[in-house]
Amino acid sequence: MSEPAATSVLHQGPFRQWRLSRIIGVSVLVMALFSVLAAILVGMALANLAQARDQVVNQVDPAVQQALRLDAALLDQETGVRGYALSGQLDFLTPYTSGLATQRDAVNQLNGLLANLPTAATDLRLVLSRVDTWRAGYAQPTIDKVDTTKAPLAGSAADLGKAAFDSLRAAGGTLQHDLGLAHQQATVALNGAAGRVDTVCVVLGVVLVLIIVALALALRAAAIRPLSRLADQVRMVAGGDLEHVVAPNGPREVRELAGHVNAMRERILQELSSARVAHSVLANRTQDLQRSNAELEQFAYVASHDLQEPLRKVASFCELLQRRYGGRLDERADQYIGFAVDGAKRMQALINDLLAFSRVGRLTGDRQPVSANVLVDQAKANLADVLERTGATVEVGDLPMVLAEAPLLTAVFQNLLSNALKFHGDQPPHVTIAARRDGPDWEFSFADNGIGIGADYAERIFVIFQRLHPKDEYPGTGIGLAMCRKIVEYHGGRIWLDSSAEVGSRFLFTLPALPTTEDAEDD
């Protein structure tokens, strides 16, 4: 069976529905059946060879040898009788006596060996019959006569049994001839059995080679080629040709695998299409964000120049108006002027805070390793007047080195410290600043003994311009904690309110730790 023929047979009809395990099982079954058949045929041929060999080696050849012994024993008997008759000496009778013993032994063995050789058995019976005739008619009477006369017989008397012995020798010759024919036939049968063994082995070898070739071609057509085609198609898909449809072909497992690959390819196409749509949306949003950033930058420029200048003029003239005409007008006029001055100042503070908030992460500087203790000292120096006025105490632990923009991180410490000083209770403010290692980060904590913050406001306080108290109670724009969150997240950390604090408020925030020698060794 050629490979294309095997392929067409295996890919049509019921073979297409076969599993690879079934194909392999059928192949193994074919090999097993052939092995059993080969074992039976070889066994039969070897048994026939063994039978033919047994007939030659254990029957015919021993029978020929025993027939020769019998012939020699008869000749010895005839020679002994003849010598005894001519000499009258008892010593010449010894061959006769030993010949009788050899004859009995040879006859006993021939009776067992000629059981399957009826012609030779008939010849043996004829030989024995003539032996009995020769012994009764000549040998024994001659011996008895010599024993009686104690003298040799004349030559003519010794030749009386020659005719009977010649008849005996003729019967023995017939036995030898028939045994020779039997030996020839057994040898021919043995050679034929050996030839059949060789023929069976050669035929089985050729058939085995043909079966192996056929099974190899069938397995190649049924499994290897479909798997190779599937691998080529999968490589095409893996190479980026996602539009290529993987054609199912071959056994059921291969077709199921091709179906799964096709399903995966289609799912990838769907996800890729969704990703393209999402990328398009993201690109549009990125453009919108860039446009928004540009507008924000424009707003920042306007806020820092165009809005600030008239606002400063308004604030300056309101202050001049308050200084010059304060107390000269009625009480309501003084109140109105105070409102105008306060509004202008608060507007300036809001604009400045908003500008600072917008610059975080947009106007970036170099990040360098800095000591958090140094930054806390700078924040305390900036708030020195407030610290002295409130009588506050700041307890600072051993803070680590961090990678940060020093001005921004200083603003975080300053805003948290400012809030602790602003929202203090009846007791002088007491602030505790500490840090601990938390895996790859440093966790900083700011704890105070102030008025505290309710857990319900844990997220609201980080929203820009969100205030929990009226401005006449506690000054400020409500942007400080929003600024802290933006700066901390810009540095790769997070900040939150510890709602479990029982006294005052406690803020926690994390910053990535600098890599150390131990970390490098662990990596």
Side-chain angles (χ1 to χ4, degrees), residues 207-244:
V207 174
L208 176 62
V209 171
L210 293 177
I211 290 177
I212 292 175
V213 172
L215 290 178
L217 293 176
L219 288 175
R220 178 177 174 81
I224 298 176
R225 288 178 63 85
L227 285 174
S228 299
R229 294 194 193 98
L230 178 60
D232 293 337
Q233 296 183 83
V234 170
R235 276 193 290 269
M236 293 178 62
V237 174
D241 188 7
L242 296 178
E243 298 295 336
H244 178 75

Side-chain angles (χ1 to χ4, degrees), residues 390-455:
T390 58
T393 57
V394 180
E395 182 181 346
V396 183
D398 186 13
L399 304 182
M401 296 283 292
V402 292
L403 186 65
E405 294 183 28
L408 294 181
L409 195 54
T410 301
V412 173
F413 290 127
Q414 184 170 330
N415 278 323
L416 293 175
L417 184 57
S418 176
N419 284 345
L421 299 178
K422 182 191 304 182
F423 300 101
H424 66 83
D426 298 333
Q427 299 295 325
H430 179 77
V431 181
T432 301
I433 306 174
R436 70 177 185 89
R437 186 67 180 264
D438 183 17
D441 300 325
W442 283 106
E443 183 182 274
F444 292 83
S445 65
F446 264 73
D448 60 50
N449 61 344
I451 62 176
I453 302 174

Side-chain angles (χ1 to χ4, degrees), residues 244-291:
H244 178 75
V245 178
V246 180
N249 194 12
R252 186 182 300 177
E253 293 93 335
V254 178
R255 289 186 285 109
E256 290 176 353
L257 181 59
H260 294 327
V261 173
N262 254 335
M264 180 178 65
R265 180 187 62 82
E266 293 174 356
R267 186 165 61 252
I268 292 175
L269 281 175
Q270 294 176 356
E271 294 179 356
L272 182 60
S273 177
S274 301
R276 288 172 179 170
V277 172
H279 179 73
S280 177
V281 173
L282 181 61
N284 294 332
R285 291 184 179 179
T286 301
Q287 292 179 356
D288 294 339
L289 182 60
Q290 291 175 347
R291 185 166 51 252

Side-chain angles (χ1 to χ4, degrees), residues 311 315 319 322 339-350 352:
L311 188 59
E319 289 178 354
Q322 187 180 38
F339 287 159
V341 171
D342 180 67
K345 290 181 179 180
R346 287 199 306 110
M347 178 62 74
Q348 283 183 323
L350 286 172
N352 291 331

